[in-house]
Amino acid sequence: MTDDHAAGFPDQHPPPHGSDGNGDQGETGPGRRAAGPVPAPAPPPSGPHASEAAGGEPAHRPRSTDPLELGFTPRKPVPWLAPLLLIRTGLRTLLALLFGAYLDKRELQHTFDATVTRQVGPDGGLWLDYVADLGDGFDATYSVAYLLAQRELTVDGHRLPRAQVLVMGGDQVYPSAAFDTYEDRCKGPYQAALPVTPPEQPTLFAIPGNHDWYDGLTAFLRLFVRSRDRHFGGWNTAQSRSYFAVELPADWWLFGLDEQSGSYLDDPQLSYFDSVAERLGPQSRVILAVPMPTWVKATTKDPSAYDSIDYFIRTIVAPTGAQVRLLISGDHHHYARYVGPDRQLITCGGGGAYLYPTHLLPQRIEVPPKETLARRASAPHSYELAGCYPEAAQSRRYAWGIFPRLPWRNRGFATLLGAFYTLLILSMVGVCTTHNDTQLRLFSVPLVAMLLVTLTATVLFAEAPGAMQRRLRHWLLGLGHGLAHLGLAAAGTWLWLALPFHDWPWPLSVITAAIFFGSVGGLAASQLVAAYLLVASAFGVNGNELFAGQGIEDSKGFIRMRITPDGTLTIYPIGVDRVSRHWLINPDHSAESSWLVPHTPLKPRLAEPPVVLH
């Protein structure tokens, strides 16, 4: 593809010569490249050998959008309802729950250096960016990365220079933490957005989310916790563990916690923060970055979800007299801010993953919840929802898009429904057209089996936080969903018996049924699933699946913060209503300019007015 054409990226390609496909230059071995500056003969080489320069030196710029030139393969959004992906993700989640404690690498990290870095800008203040849930489809991920990398943004009249610190708040890759997936969905796009380290030497810190933990944190540590080649695109990496503490200007502090998919805080991590807390005092203010918004989950799903964070604040921060003024998290793929008497609670997970609804958020939460079973807990405080992005009205409009998007963006899921309906309807037809008692009993066996499979699947599909939290509404909605499918199958059976095709000789009748119900039945079933998701979400069930099934790439964003030398913290929540779908090679060939630019300029805006903390 030439420089004059918009990018139209394939989903996969064979790994370039001399590479295993992940573009990581910091390791050597079979199929890997040695670290070090890349020579630049004439003509300059293309592909991953030239995609990254160690130490931030100028690298060869791609001449086209071909993956061999870029050094990575831009991926399409993850099809979350694809049957095989659902099975693989479910197995990974199950394995993480069963064996996570045995694969926990946090206990081993006490052998790493316990560093505490200090970050301050040339004027004594600091600009800081926060982004989370970023490693999904290229268009959304790179749109956000491109904005983060620009030397300056003008947003609703505010001039916001590029931040000196970038914090990645979890789930840097989807759906799993494989090396090639990290390269294609995360590191590659950020390398293309900021190819070399600019003079101000911006620094990157990252905490792992649940998807980063699916491989036991192996790939995450290899990318973000390194002793050599400490750069991630144009950002330098500085952390020595999967958690970190950073001293900011005016006695502000940034703490990043690793909860290992919401399980607990390990002892080496607590010991690390104990030593950091010795440097805090009554004038200290803390920004606490955590992997998930447990303040919302504790209200809506699991009352114990906030216990670890509350324990950390009570035992580590509170004894010093310092205050946690801001709790910030990703995991939910939207922006939401709750305000209370002591701090702000912000969710900002708009870095690239599918949009998560905001119209289902509770207007008021109590943190920690009174229902927690923790023997000791902080006094509960009430927090009000002060702002969200996208706005609740827009979120509701997005929800209704489930009808066209579900079959279109999840064709494998619709195909699976079509195949299932074919078997279900044929078993019903067999019972209805068989008059011999022996044959009737024979056909009744598969029909009963299909009925049980249908009801079991729909009950399990009705999301529940856990076996102990499964409520009556989950059972009723699941059973109602299953009965609706059986009713639709019965209508399909009546229609089939009314058509002349069922009288055709075998196997023509079966083939015709498979074609008819595999297409029309699959489409009708997908619309029934869409209607169920819309209704169930109103009762707090399957809200995630309602939006995961749509894979909405728009309404993304991040947070840019400014700490002035006098200690005032201003939060600028930045939203992008529509991400770019078409990319061009950047005509600006300066070293630090982004490799690709949007065909139509991105239009960032403030999701809500700036929030000021003192």
Side-chain angles (χ1 to χ4, degrees), residues 439-507:
Q439 291 180 331
L440 180 60
R441 285 194 295 272
L442 180 64
F443 278 106
S444 297
V445 173
L447 177 58
V448 171
M450 294 300 295
L451 295 178
L452 291 176
V453 168
T454 301
L455 294 176
T456 302
T458 54
V459 168
L460 292 176
F461 185 67
E463 176 199 26
M468 298 302 294
Q469 272 74 42
R470 186 176 290 273
R471 298 182 174 92
L472 179 61
R473 66 174 183 269
H474 295 99
W475 292 99
L476 294 178
L477 287 167
L479 289 172
H481 184 200
L483 293 174
H485 279 291
L486 295 179
L488 181 61
T493 302
W494 173 84
L495 176 62
W496 180 250
L497 293 175
L499 295 173
F501 307 122
H502 78 280
D503 291 328
W504 288 3
W506 190 91

Side-chain angles (χ1 to χ4, degrees), residues 85 87-97 175-178 214-215:
L85 179 64
I87 294 173
R88 289 197 299 267
T89 303
L91 289 175
R92 289 191 184 100
T93 304
L94 179 62
L95 291 173
L97 291 173
S176 62
Y214 282 165
D215 71 336

Side-chain angles (χ1 to χ4, degrees), residues 108-430:
L108 305 177
Q109 293 181 48
H110 73 280
T111 60
F112 299 173
D113 292 337
T115 59
V116 177
T117 63
R118 174 174 169 79
Q119 298 289 327
V120 60
D123 64 348
L126 185 76
W127 287 93
L128 184 147
D129 282 341
Y130 178 91
V131 65
D133 303 280
L134 52 135
D136 202 330
F138 178 81
D139 289 335
T141 296
Y142 186 73
S143 292
V144 174
Y146 176 82
L147 292 174
L148 290 168
Q150 299 313 295
R151 186 173 292 278
E152 182 178 89
L153 298 177
T154 300
V155 183
D156 293 351
H158 299 274
R159 297 181 61 186
L160 309 177
R162 181 169 54 212
Q164 289 114 4
V165 173
L166 171 62
V167 178
M168 291 183 173
D171 287 347
Q172 277 70 243
V173 67
Y174 292 93
S176 62
F179 290 118
D180 59 341
T181 310
Y182 263 114
E183 176 66 20
D184 290 343
R185 295 188 181 274
C186 179
K187 187 177 181 182
Y190 274 75
Q191 164 76 33
L194 189 61
V196 299
T197 304
E200 62 269 24
Q201 300 279 320
T203 306
L204 169 68
F205 297 91
I207 58 175
N210 59 302
H211 288 268
D212 301 293
W213 263 101
Y214 282 165
D215 71 336
L217 217 60
T218 300
F220 178 91
L221 294 176
R222 192 169 181 175
L223 280 175
F224 299 105
V225 183
R226 309 183 60 159
S227 59
R228 57 182 298 176
D229 298 323
R230 301 184 67 135
H231 61 280
F232 190 92
W235 290 270
N236 297 325
T237 58
Q239 67 195 85
S240 59
R241 302 184 181 187
S242 60
Y243 43 89
F244 54 83
V246 183
E247 185 179 1
L248 305 175
D251 211 8
W252 278 90
W253 288 79
L254 170 65
F255 291 173
L257 302 188
D258 178 4
E259 285 191 278
Q260 201 252 352
S261 301
S263 58
Y264 66 98
L265 297 173
D266 56 294
D267 189 65
Q269 184 173 187
L270 292 173
S271 298
Y272 168 80
F273 283 107
D274 270 329
S275 64
V276 175
E278 295 176 0
R279 302 169 60 176
L280 303 183
Q283 301 303 315
S284 301
R285 291 155 292 183
V286 177
I287 301 170
L288 189 58
V290 296
M292 62 183 66
T294 53
W295 47 91
V296 176
K297 293 190 176 185
T299 300
T300 59
K301 292 185 177 182
D302 180 9
S304 66
Y306 187 75
D307 289 351
S308 292
I309 304 303
D310 185 55
Y311 176 83
F312 181 87
I313 295 175
R314 283 190 299 106
T315 62
I316 304 294
V317 181
T320 69
Q323 290 185 323
V324 175
R325 297 302 312 281
L326 173 61
L327 265 168
I328 190 167
S329 170
D331 192 60
H332 287 179
H333 310 157
H334 57 218
Y335 170 81
R337 180 174 65 91
Y338 285 89
V339 59
D342 52 351
R343 61 181 63 104
Q344 305 275 332
L345 311 177
I346 293 181
T347 306
C348 182
Y354 67 89
L355 185 66
Y356 193 84
T358 58
H359 68 281
L360 302 177
L361 288 170
Q363 294 299 308
R364 175 180 295 180
I365 60 177
E366 196 170 65
V367 182
K370 294 179 180 178
E371 296 81 5
T372 179
L373 298 179
R375 296 181 184 178
R376 297 172 182 165
S378 302
H381 294 289
S382 180
Y383 291 80
E384 302 284 341
L385 181 63
C388 63
Y389 176 81
E391 292 79 7
Q394 177 62 44
S395 179
R396 290 188 184 92
R397 288 192 290 270
Y398 276 136
W400 283 92
I402 186 65
F403 291 101
R405 289 194 185 104
L406 180 62
W408 175 251
R409 299 190 71 102
N410 304 274
R411 299 172 196 178
F413 183 69
T415 301
L416 177 65
L417 289 176
F420 183 82
Y421 260 68
T422 300
L423 296 175
L424 178 58
I425 291 175
L426 286 178
S427 64
M428 289 184 174
V429 169

